mmCIF file of all heavy atoms in Angstrom:
data_model
loop_
_atom_site.group_PDB
_atom_site.id
_atom_site.type_symbol
_atom_site.label_atom_id
_atom_site.label_comp_id
_atom_site.label_asym_id
_atom_site.label_seq_id
_atom_site.Cartn_x
_atom_site.Cartn_y
_atom_site.Cartn_z
ATOM 1 N N VAL A 210 109.228 95.868 120.284
ATOM 2 C CA VAL A 210 108.022 95.247 120.469
ATOM 3 C C VAL A 210 106.966 96.329 120.828
ATOM 4 O O VAL A 210 105.790 96.228 120.359
ATOM 5 C CB VAL A 210 108.042 94.146 121.435
ATOM 6 C CG1 VAL A 210 106.638 93.641 121.803
ATOM 7 C CG2 VAL A 210 108.866 92.942 120.983
ATOM 8 N N LEU A 267 108.758 88.530 105.494
ATOM 9 C CA LEU A 267 109.651 89.182 104.556
ATOM 10 C C LEU A 267 111.030 89.547 105.286
ATOM 11 O O LEU A 267 112.057 89.427 104.704
ATOM 12 C CB LEU A 267 109.028 90.369 103.931
ATOM 13 C CG LEU A 267 107.842 90.145 102.942
ATOM 14 C CD1 LEU A 267 107.183 91.406 102.488
ATOM 15 C CD2 LEU A 267 108.270 89.300 101.822
ATOM 16 N N ALA A 276 122.451 86.464 104.844
ATOM 17 C CA ALA A 276 123.405 85.588 105.413
ATOM 18 C C ALA A 276 123.782 84.458 104.452
ATOM 19 O O ALA A 276 125.066 84.159 104.373
ATOM 20 C CB ALA A 276 122.886 84.971 106.738
ATOM 21 N N GLY A 289 114.396 84.361 92.959
ATOM 22 C CA GLY A 289 113.293 84.082 92.120
ATOM 23 C C GLY A 289 111.946 83.733 92.595
ATOM 24 O O GLY A 289 111.063 83.332 91.974
ATOM 25 N N ALA A 321 106.368 79.522 93.873
ATOM 26 C CA ALA A 321 107.602 79.809 94.610
ATOM 27 C C ALA A 321 108.370 78.641 94.972
ATOM 28 O O ALA A 321 109.590 78.636 94.832
ATOM 29 C CB ALA A 321 107.065 80.637 95.858
ATOM 30 N N VAL A 323 108.438 75.642 93.497
ATOM 31 C CA VAL A 323 109.007 75.034 92.335
ATOM 32 C C VAL A 323 110.278 75.788 91.850
ATOM 33 O O VAL A 323 111.285 75.233 91.580
ATOM 34 C CB VAL A 323 108.061 74.889 91.189
ATOM 35 C CG1 VAL A 323 108.687 74.454 89.830
ATOM 36 C CG2 VAL A 323 106.891 73.900 91.491
ATOM 37 N N VAL A 324 110.127 77.103 91.817
ATOM 38 C CA VAL A 324 111.333 77.923 91.377
ATOM 39 C C VAL A 324 112.468 77.820 92.339
ATOM 40 O O VAL A 324 113.613 77.791 91.893
ATOM 41 C CB VAL A 324 110.822 79.377 91.183
ATOM 42 C CG1 VAL A 324 112.077 80.277 90.938
ATOM 43 C CG2 VAL A 324 109.932 79.535 89.908
ATOM 44 N N PHE A 393 102.349 78.024 106.997
ATOM 45 C CA PHE A 393 103.583 78.018 106.172
ATOM 46 C C PHE A 393 104.582 79.033 106.833
ATOM 47 O O PHE A 393 105.763 78.760 106.947
ATOM 48 C CB PHE A 393 103.305 78.446 104.676
ATOM 49 C CG PHE A 393 102.417 77.491 104.038
ATOM 50 C CD1 PHE A 393 101.137 77.797 103.674
ATOM 51 C CD2 PHE A 393 102.914 76.180 103.659
ATOM 52 C CE1 PHE A 393 100.275 76.918 102.989
ATOM 53 C CE2 PHE A 393 102.118 75.261 103.054
ATOM 54 C CZ PHE A 393 100.770 75.613 102.641
ATOM 55 N N LEU A 402 114.811 79.846 113.069
ATOM 56 C CA LEU A 402 115.443 79.869 114.439
ATOM 57 C C LEU A 402 116.454 78.698 114.494
ATOM 58 O O LEU A 402 117.440 78.747 115.267
ATOM 59 C CB LEU A 402 114.297 79.746 115.411
ATOM 60 C CG LEU A 402 113.369 80.975 115.494
ATOM 61 C CD1 LEU A 402 112.217 80.759 116.493
ATOM 62 C CD2 LEU A 402 114.097 82.271 115.836
ATOM 63 N N LEU A 408 124.032 79.506 110.378
ATOM 64 C CA LEU A 408 124.203 80.592 109.475
ATOM 65 C C LEU A 408 125.378 81.489 109.938
ATOM 66 O O LEU A 408 126.075 82.085 109.105
ATOM 67 C CB LEU A 408 122.932 81.455 109.386
ATOM 68 C CG LEU A 408 121.748 80.831 108.446
ATOM 69 C CD1 LEU A 408 120.576 81.695 108.567
ATOM 70 C CD2 LEU A 408 122.244 80.848 106.954
ATOM 71 N N ARG A 429 122.343 75.365 103.644
ATOM 72 C CA ARG A 429 121.674 76.063 102.537
ATOM 73 C C ARG A 429 120.377 75.474 102.156
ATOM 74 O O ARG A 429 119.515 76.210 101.795
ATOM 75 C CB ARG A 429 122.746 76.011 101.304
ATOM 76 C CG ARG A 429 124.027 76.805 101.527
ATOM 77 C CD ARG A 429 124.793 76.990 100.170
ATOM 78 N NE ARG A 429 125.936 77.812 100.431
ATOM 79 C CZ ARG A 429 127.199 77.371 100.607
ATOM 80 N NH1 ARG A 429 127.393 76.036 100.640
ATOM 81 N NH2 ARG A 429 128.233 78.090 100.906
ATOM 82 N N VAL A 451 108.267 94.866 97.790
ATOM 83 C CA VAL A 451 109.703 94.994 97.701
ATOM 84 C C VAL A 451 110.307 95.817 98.907
ATOM 85 O O VAL A 451 109.583 96.557 99.530
ATOM 86 C CB VAL A 451 110.125 95.644 96.368
ATOM 87 C CG1 VAL A 451 109.675 94.765 95.214
ATOM 88 C CG2 VAL A 451 109.499 97.060 96.287
ATOM 89 N N LEU A 460 119.435 97.315 108.355
ATOM 90 C CA LEU A 460 119.344 98.235 109.496
ATOM 91 C C LEU A 460 119.632 97.476 110.837
ATOM 92 O O LEU A 460 120.377 98.003 111.614
ATOM 93 C CB LEU A 460 117.962 98.930 109.523
ATOM 94 C CG LEU A 460 117.691 99.800 110.757
ATOM 95 C CD1 LEU A 460 118.630 101.016 110.910
ATOM 96 C CD2 LEU A 460 116.317 100.408 110.786
ATOM 97 N N ASP A 468 125.375 88.752 114.473
ATOM 98 C CA ASP A 468 124.930 87.558 115.139
ATOM 99 C C ASP A 468 123.511 87.280 114.754
ATOM 100 O O ASP A 468 122.555 88.072 115.202
ATOM 101 C CB ASP A 468 125.078 87.705 116.695
ATOM 102 C CG ASP A 468 124.875 86.340 117.415
ATOM 103 O OD1 ASP A 468 124.256 85.434 116.801
ATOM 104 O OD2 ASP A 468 125.228 86.210 118.578
ATOM 105 N N VAL A 472 119.865 89.105 115.034
ATOM 106 C CA VAL A 472 119.382 89.672 113.824
ATOM 107 C C VAL A 472 117.877 89.187 113.540
ATOM 108 O O VAL A 472 117.084 90.023 113.145
ATOM 109 C CB VAL A 472 120.333 89.339 112.627
ATOM 110 C CG1 VAL A 472 119.646 89.743 111.349
ATOM 111 C CG2 VAL A 472 121.660 90.068 112.846
ATOM 112 N N ILE A 493 96.444 107.310 104.532
ATOM 113 C CA ILE A 493 96.265 108.671 104.842
ATOM 114 C C ILE A 493 96.512 109.646 103.721
ATOM 115 O O ILE A 493 95.686 110.622 103.585
ATOM 116 C CB ILE A 493 97.258 109.065 106.089
ATOM 117 C CG1 ILE A 493 96.852 108.345 107.347
ATOM 118 C CG2 ILE A 493 97.251 110.568 106.335
ATOM 119 C CD1 ILE A 493 97.900 108.510 108.477
ATOM 120 N N GLY A 503 102.650 98.256 98.672
ATOM 121 C CA GLY A 503 103.791 98.011 97.814
ATOM 122 C C GLY A 503 104.346 99.256 97.183
ATOM 123 O O GLY A 503 105.562 99.318 96.944
ATOM 124 N N ILE A 515 119.546 103.298 97.292
ATOM 125 C CA ILE A 515 120.624 104.115 96.613
ATOM 126 C C ILE A 515 121.635 104.562 97.663
ATOM 127 O O ILE A 515 122.919 104.453 97.438
ATOM 128 C CB ILE A 515 119.993 105.342 95.927
ATOM 129 C CG1 ILE A 515 119.254 104.903 94.736
ATOM 130 C CG2 ILE A 515 121.130 106.247 95.428
ATOM 131 C CD1 ILE A 515 118.345 105.951 94.054
#
Side-chain angles (χ1 to χ4, degrees):
V210 171
L267 293 176
V323 170
V324 169
F393 298 110
L402 297 178
L408 282 174
R429 289 193 179 100
V451 297
L460 172 63
D468 190 343
V472 170
I493 294 174
I515 292 171

